[in-house]
Amino acid sequence: MLTRCLGARRVRQIRRAFRHGAVTFLCLFLTVVVLRGTIGAGKFGTPQQDFDNLRHHLNSHRRVLEEQNSEKTTATTNNYVTFDMSTILVDEPLGKDEITRDPNAPYTLGPKITDWDQQRKRWLRQNPNFPNSIAPNKPRVLLVTGSSPKPCENPVGDHYLLKSIKNKIDYCRVHGIEIFYNFALFDAEMAGFWAKLPLIRKLLLSHPEVEFLWWMDSDAMFTDMAFEVPWERYKDHNFVLHGWNEMVYDEKNWIGLNTGSFLLRNSQWALDILDSWAPMGPKGKIRDEAGKLLTRELKNRPVFEADDQSAMVYLLATERDKWGDKVYLENAYYLHGYWGILVDRYEEMIDNYHPGFGDHRWPLVTHFVGCKPCGKFGDYPVERCLRQMDRAYNFGDNQILQMYGFTHNSLASKRVKRVRNESSNPLGVKDELGLLHPAFKAIRLPVSSS
Amino acid sequence: MLTRCLGARRVRQIRRAFRHGAVTFLCLFLTVVVLRGTIGAGKFGTPQQDFDNLRHHLNSHRRVLEEQNSEKTTATTNNYVTFDMSTILVDEPLGKDEITRDPNAPYTLGPKITDWDQQRKRWLRQNPNFPNSIAPNKPRVLLVTGSSPKPCENPVGDHYLLKSIKNKIDYCRVHGIEIFYNFALFDAEMAGFWAKLPLIRKLLLSHPEVEFLWWMDSDAMFTDMAFEVPWERYKDHNFVLHGWNEMVYDEKNWIGLNTGSFLLRNSQWALDILDSWAPMGPKGKIRDEAGKLLTRELKNRPVFEADDQSAMVYLLATERDKWGDKVYLENAYYLHGYWGILVDRYEEMIDNYHPGFGDHRWPLVTHFVGCKPCGKFGDYPVERCLRQMDRAYNFGDNQILQMYGFTHNSLASKRVKRVRNESSNPLGVKDELGLLHPAFKAIRLPVSSS
């Protein structure tokens, strides 16, 4: 009996020891993450200010990063430096059916396609009932996100995945955007943050009616339900990411752009850049070696296996002539917004502004970079993450609830309260933000020719 | 030290005792639940067979039910006989802002509205860009579902809520249906299975462009992605539920219909029946007393607080003249399908049929009646539930994956494998079920007059 107790106690002690190790490591991890997240940062938030702020942030963190280099391998092997919940798939063993290619052949996302624009144009002509635009200057958009098919290691994680998709359902319903939520791993070699590439290619080729595919990480939430993407601005571009030209093209800074939320036009160009983006992705030796190259070539990148974001910075920086003119690095609004510099300002935003700006005044997206609520964590940081994810969710949800005359008791509260009484003339009630029947959702289509 | 251990041990013993109690109770609970779920049951599944089968099932369960009556109060107070995850809200305390009405005044869902049809018609005329039909014989439909804003008591529950909404997103994307996922409790008095009433009324009045609202419990999943609801069949009806006329109108059987998945037309008639449906809902004395009435008046109903399903059976049975002609009790396909008699037949269905039937050959909906994966459970039953929910999810998901050339390794497997190779002529590949660009999703709208 007594020994059983002592045994139990020893186990507890060992556990505690482990936890302490984790905490130390966490600090390293979060620094890296904050740095990566800092893209789009800014105490005041105007693009130029963001930029200066970011420089400052980078300098102050250089030493930290250098220190981190001693821990490199840990960072890599622990696979801690991942930015998307879907990376849980990284740890899964490969099924026998899953390796389909000759390991010696160079990796490709699929058979080469060179005439996609013509194929797609022909299809659109033949299928007038599936137009690629749902209104003038309103392309048909498919928002793509996803997470692991397994329950989260951290049980509460699934609840936040649920809130995150509910949040996306709301934005997309209001803006007439379709959603594809992915649980599947289409290419075992491209597990983790690379899984989106084969998925995106597959969806582009399967849905010629989709003009823009919007990738969004599962840890990003819409916080401005009223902001409509300025589609017109991108009419001559194929790829829109949050980022800065100087940081990507001049500095080759690994956080010069963020791949957690981007727009990709369905086009031959998209297939081509996916092909050029993919080669660093295959798991194992290729991805590890590529990671070393990226850390060597990119500014401030700690050592870890190749990630899709660094690979894109590297691709654009080294082949600007080939891709640059069709890539739009957006920083006039938060297509991606780093949570660390936004979540504490929500009350300030509520006092001074209103939804619809999408920028530092009311961010379109709050991205919980590095907050892996689905992964195994513990202690303070994840709690801060979860508390702030609740705030971000409620901040966005209030804009949905106001349509129906409700609001959260506070940004910290799950409960809602009435903000106006029921009316016997419901259609007379105008919702402040005009989100019930927004002009940008109105459908205007030519009569089908069939 | 030793005492601490003994203390800990005692605690463990007490816990075990509790668990045993729970298990005993579980048996009662599941019987009730199976009974309720049996609606739409049938070993062979044709409507008539379902019906006979159900009679048999009822007789064999009568004794069990009578035994249960001794446990009545437990059942009520433990609030175990709930059929929807959203009922978790039942246990939450009321916030101060939430009781808005004079407790002595009779409960209403809101101010009386008598001219909704005219209000709505006028609005539709004035807003031609938000038509109530998206194609000929294709009404604009809003699917409404939801769950508790709190993480599940059973941590894995949230993962199944996530799978359940991903499943609904897929069906709705393929069929051109919008989704509203609710986390909010609009009326604290109507917590639990009654929460859908104020929510539905609010949505009908806020969205005149919506012709049909489709309520679906969070524990119901689409298992036939190809089946399009026969909207034409309901052109003269306002309310479509899975059920049988004989069982509702002749027998007043509390499981003569199921309110876990139903269609309600946006109309004055809908507001009126919601008003007549609601009075048994208010939590506390009213709901408890109503529960006694329902158990007295309805066939085979165990004693527990009034639930929305029993209340609807009672309303239709006692006021058939008022409502009957606009209510369509559907049993030609599984608008709701009880999981107990479907999940073990999936392989048989795969061998003999294909998606698109929606009935016993390939059920549109598999409803996990009584499988409260979000509630606190334990032991065998919930495991069976979860295993079968995975099977149902994968069974439905295979129809989505086949569009992209993949399928689950088995109905039990989260992993997917390729079923056809990538093509350089992707648009030449036809997906078996034609779900990529189904005719029923094609948009055909008149040119807007504005």
Side-chain angles (χ1 to χ4, degrees):
Chain A
M1 179 57 203
L2 182 60
T3 44
R4 248 196 25 238
C5 295
L6 287 173
R9 197 197 192 180
R10 258 193 228 95
V11 172
R12 247 178 275 115
Q13 287 167 334
I14 293 158
R15 285 227 191 81
R16 213 172 295 115
F18 267 111
R19 228 178 289 119
H20 290 159
V23 176
T24 331
F25 183 73
L26 220 55
C27 307
L28 149 65
F29 163 56
L30 283 173
T31 331
V32 175
V33 140
V34 166
L35 242 186
R36 178 186 189 274
T38 316
I39 172 137
K43 280 273 164 304
F44 311 97
T46 69
Q48 189 47 48
Q49 281 161 324
D50 278 4
F51 190 69
D52 305 341
N53 191 280
L54 183 51
R55 297 198 161 291
H56 171 76
H57 204 123
L58 286 174
N59 295 329
S60 63
H61 274 75
R62 182 150 302 120
R63 206 184 312 93
V64 186
L65 269 170
E66 276 145 14
E67 283 154 14
Q68 285 164 0
N69 292 344
S70 55
E71 305 246 19
K72 287 167 182 182
T73 36
T74 336
T76 320
T77 52
N78 281 275
N79 183 34
Y80 252 118
V81 196
T82 56
F83 316 116
D84 182 3
M85 290 166 180
S86 64
T87 52
I88 291 162
L89 285 165
V90 168
D91 309 325
E92 295 192 355
L94 303 190
K96 61 170 175 26
D97 303 318
E98 292 172 292
I99 298 297
T100 47
R101 75 172 175 104
D102 163 12
N104 304 319
Y107 177 84
T108 67
L109 288 170
K112 188 84 187 147
I113 297 180
T114 56
D115 63 341
W116 178 237
D117 290 338
Q118 294 85 311
Q119 284 192 46
R120 181 168 175 249
K121 185 179 275 165
R122 195 178 321 115
W123 188 95
L124 287 168
R125 232 187 1 258
Q126 291 164 352
N127 296 272
N129 294 336
F130 292 93
N132 62 333
S133 94
I134 61 176
N137 302 326
K138 177 75 173 178
R140 187 192 292 262
V141 180
L142 178 65
L143 184 133
V144 183
T145 185
S147 58
S148 167
K150 296 188 306 184
C152 290
E153 295 170 58
N154 174 358
V156 80
D158 283 295
H159 181 66
Y160 286 88
L161 288 173
L162 184 63
K163 290 183 120 170
S164 184
I165 186 59
K166 140 77 169 165
N167 165 272
K168 293 180 176 81
I169 289 172
D170 285 332
Y171 180 88
C172 290
R173 186 182 62 252
V174 169
H175 291 264
I177 293 175
E178 295 193 329
I179 300 178
F180 186 95
Y181 194 97
N182 184 58
F183 273 134
L185 179 56
F186 281 1
D187 183 336
E189 283 188 279
M190 297 292 268
F193 27 58
W194 290 93
K196 58 173 80 106
L197 271 65
L199 172 65
I200 288 171
R201 182 178 195 264
K202 173 61 75 176
L203 290 171
L204 293 176
L205 294 176
S206 304
H207 295 287
E209 75 278 16
V210 168
E211 181 64 19
F212 269 109
L213 185 148
W214 186 342
W215 170 266
M216 202 157 162
D217 284 354
S218 57
D219 56 0
M221 282 195 270
F222 286 101
T223 37
D224 189 340
M225 296 287 176
F227 184 80
E228 170 78 357
V229 169
W231 302 107
E232 175 70 8
R233 183 184 304 171
Y234 309 131
K235 63 181 192 306
D236 299 325
H237 293 81
N238 295 333
F239 195 20
V240 184
L241 307 94
H242 192 279
W244 289 268
N245 288 324
E246 302 87 327
M247 286 184 71
V248 171
Y249 298 117
D250 308 342
E251 287 180 17
K252 297 189 187 173
N253 195 311
W254 80 298
I255 56 171
L257 55 76
N258 186 286
T259 50
S261 172
F262 62 78
L263 307 168
L264 182 61
R265 187 187 297 276
N266 197 348
S267 57
Q268 180 63 46
W269 189 96
L271 302 183
D272 294 340
I273 200 165
L274 285 171
D275 287 338
S276 304
W277 193 3
M280 291 183 174
K283 216 158 75 184
K285 195 167 182 319
I286 296 177
R287 193 184 291 184
D288 295 340
E289 288 305 315
K292 292 178 190 148
L293 167 76
L294 292 173
T295 300
R296 198 168 56 242
E297 296 295 322
L298 299 186
K299 182 172 180 182
N300 291 339
R301 185 183 191 270
V303 166
F304 63 101
E305 58 176 4
D307 62 298
D308 61 313
Q309 175 166 302
S310 301
M312 181 49 64
V313 171
Y314 183 72
L315 179 64
L316 295 183
T318 51
E319 301 183 4
R320 180 174 193 173
D321 297 349
K322 189 170 179 190
W323 310 109
D325 62 327
K326 291 295 182 184
V327 175
Y328 195 110
L329 295 182
E330 179 64 82
N331 48 52
Y333 66 91
Y334 284 121
L335 177 58
H336 139 91
Y338 170 56
W339 67 285
I341 52 109
L342 294 175
V343 293
D344 295 324
R345 294 183 41 239
Y346 289 149
E347 283 80 0
E348 174 200 328
M349 296 169 193
I350 292 167
D351 292 342
N352 301 303
Y353 306 106
H354 57 77
F357 292 115
D359 58 15
H360 62 287
R361 292 167 294 181
W362 207 287
L364 171 62
V365 171
T366 300
H367 184 188
F368 287 81
V369 179
C371 274
K372 261 176 75 192
C374 192
K376 232 184 183 57
F377 254 48
D379 308 306
Y380 152 79
V382 81
E383 257 136 47
R384 168 150 197 259
C385 280
L386 299 184
R387 193 169 59 248
Q388 295 300 343
M389 288 180 90
D390 277 325
R391 279 168 50 80
Y393 172 83
N394 292 336
F395 183 66
D397 195 42
N398 278 342
Q399 299 156 49
I400 297 300
L401 290 174
Q402 64 83 28
M403 291 191 250
Y404 308 104
F406 289 85
T407 191
H408 285 271
N409 292 351
S410 78
L411 288 187
S413 170
K414 296 170 167 43
R415 305 199 136 276
V416 303
K417 64 183 177 193
R418 226 175 259 286
V419 288
R420 60 171 183 263
N421 288 329
E422 299 291 318
S423 161
S424 58
N425 172 28
L427 298 178
V429 180
K430 198 83 213 89
D431 65 304
E432 286 167 28
L433 303 173
L435 296 184
L436 275 173
H437 306 98
F440 53 69
K441 196 188 177 182
I443 303 168
R444 282 187 234 87
L445 289 174
V447 177
S448 133
S449 56
S450 69
Chain B
M1 178 59 201
L2 183 59
T3 45
R4 248 194 31 234
C5 296
L6 286 174
R9 198 192 187 188
R10 256 193 230 96
V11 172
R12 244 177 279 116
Q13 287 168 335
I14 294 158
R15 284 226 192 80
R16 213 173 294 116
F18 267 114
R19 228 177 288 120
H20 291 161
V23 175
T24 329
F25 183 74
L26 219 54
C27 306
L28 147 67
F29 163 57
L30 283 173
T31 331
V32 175
V33 142
V34 166
L35 243 184
R36 178 188 190 271
T38 316
I39 171 138
K43 279 274 165 303
F44 311 97
T46 67
Q48 190 45 46
Q49 282 162 324
D50 280 2
F51 191 70
D52 303 342
N53 192 280
L54 184 50
R55 297 198 161 291
H56 170 77
H57 204 123
L58 286 174
N59 295 331
S60 62
H61 274 75
R62 181 150 304 121
R63 206 184 311 93
V64 187
L65 270 170
E66 275 146 14
E67 284 155 13
Q68 285 163 1
N69 292 345
S70 55
E71 306 246 19
K72 285 167 183 183
T73 36
T74 337
T76 320
T77 52
N78 281 275
N79 185 36
Y80 254 117
V81 197
T82 56
F83 317 115
D84 182 1
M85 291 165 180
S86 65
T87 51
I88 293 164
L89 284 166
V90 168
D91 308 327
E92 295 192 355
L94 302 190
K96 62 172 178 22
D97 302 319
E98 292 173 292
I99 297 296
T100 47
R101 75 175 178 101
D102 162 12
N104 304 321
Y107 177 83
T108 66
L109 288 169
K112 189 83 187 148
I113 297 180
T114 56
D115 63 341
W116 178 237
D117 291 338
Q118 296 84 314
Q119 285 192 45
R120 182 169 175 248
K121 186 180 277 165
R122 196 179 320 116
W123 188 94
L124 287 169
R125 233 189 359 259
Q126 292 164 351
N127 297 271
N129 295 337
F130 292 93
N132 62 332
S133 93
I134 60 175
N137 301 326
K138 177 76 175 178
R140 185 191 294 261
V141 180
L142 178 66
L143 183 133
V144 183
T145 185
S147 58
S148 167
K150 295 189 306 184
C152 290
E153 295 169 60
N154 174 359
V156 79
D158 283 295
H159 181 66
Y160 286 88
L161 288 173
L162 184 62
K163 289 182 122 171
S164 183
I165 186 57
K166 140 73 170 168
N167 165 273
K168 293 179 176 82
I169 289 172
D170 285 332
Y171 180 88
C172 290
R173 187 182 60 251
V174 169
H175 291 264
I177 293 175
E178 295 193 330
I179 300 179
F180 186 95
Y181 194 97
N182 184 59
F183 273 135
L185 179 56
F186 281 1
D187 183 335
E189 282 188 281
M190 297 293 269
F193 26 58
W194 290 92
K196 58 173 80 108
L197 271 66
L199 172 64
I200 289 172
R201 182 178 195 265
K202 172 62 74 176
L203 291 172
L204 292 177
L205 295 176
S206 303
H207 295 286
E209 75 278 16
V210 168
E211 182 64 20
F212 269 109
L213 185 147
W214 187 341
W215 170 265
M216 202 156 162
D217 283 354
S218 57
D219 57 358
M221 281 194 271
F222 286 101
T223 37
D224 189 340
M225 296 287 175
F227 183 82
E228 170 78 359
V229 168
W231 302 107
E232 175 68 9
R233 184 184 303 171
Y234 309 132
K235 62 183 193 308
D236 299 325
H237 293 83
N238 296 333
F239 196 18
V240 185
L241 307 94
H242 192 278
W244 289 268
N245 287 323
E246 303 87 328
M247 287 185 70
V248 170
Y249 298 118
D250 307 342
E251 289 181 13
K252 298 190 187 174
N253 195 311
W254 80 299
I255 56 170
L257 55 77
N258 185 287
T259 50
S261 171
F262 61 79
L263 307 168
L264 183 61
R265 186 186 299 276
N266 197 348
S267 57
Q268 179 62 48
W269 189 96
L271 301 183
D272 293 341
I273 201 165
L274 284 171
D275 286 339
S276 303
W277 194 3
M280 291 182 174
K283 217 158 77 183
K285 196 168 182 316
I286 296 177
R287 192 184 292 185
D288 296 340
E289 289 306 313
K292 293 181 188 144
L293 167 77
L294 292 172
T295 301
R296 195 166 61 242
E297 296 295 322
L298 299 185
K299 183 171 180 182
N300 290 340
R301 185 183 191 272
V303 166
F304 62 100
E305 59 176 2
D307 64 298
D308 61 314
Q309 175 166 302
S310 302
M312 180 49 63
V313 171
Y314 183 72
L315 180 65
L316 295 183
T318 53
E319 301 183 8
R320 181 175 193 170
D321 297 349
K322 190 169 178 188
W323 311 108
D325 61 328
K326 291 296 182 186
V327 174
Y328 195 110
L329 295 181
E330 180 63 81
N331 48 51
Y333 66 91
Y334 284 121
L335 177 59
H336 141 92
Y338 170 56
W339 66 285
I341 52 106
L342 294 175
V343 294
D344 296 324
R345 293 183 42 239
Y346 289 148
E347 282 81 0
E348 174 199 329
M349 296 169 193
I350 292 168
D351 292 343
N352 301 301
Y353 306 107
H354 58 76
F357 293 114
D359 58 14
H360 62 287
R361 291 166 295 180
W362 207 287
L364 171 63
V365 171
T366 300
H367 184 186
F368 287 81
V369 178
C371 274
K372 259 175 75 192
C374 191
K376 235 187 182 54
F377 255 48
D379 308 306
Y380 152 77
V382 81
E383 257 135 49
R384 167 148 197 261
C385 280
L386 299 184
R387 195 169 58 249
Q388 295 301 342
M389 288 181 92
D390 278 325
R391 280 168 50 80
Y393 171 82
N394 293 337
F395 183 65
D397 194 42
N398 278 341
Q399 299 155 51
I400 298 300
L401 290 174
Q402 64 83 28
M403 291 191 249
Y404 308 105
F406 289 85
T407 191
H408 283 271
N409 292 350
S410 78
L411 287 187
S413 170
K414 296 169 168 44
R415 305 198 136 278
V416 303
K417 63 184 178 193
R418 225 175 260 287
V419 287
R420 61 172 182 264
N421 289 329
E422 299 292 316
S423 160
S424 57
N425 172 26
L427 299 177
V429 181
K430 198 84 213 88
D431 64 304
E432 285 166 28
L433 302 172
L435 295 185
L436 276 173
H437 305 98
F440 53 70
K441 196 188 177 181
I443 302 167
R444 283 188 233 87
L445 289 174
V447 178
S448 130
S449 57
S450 67

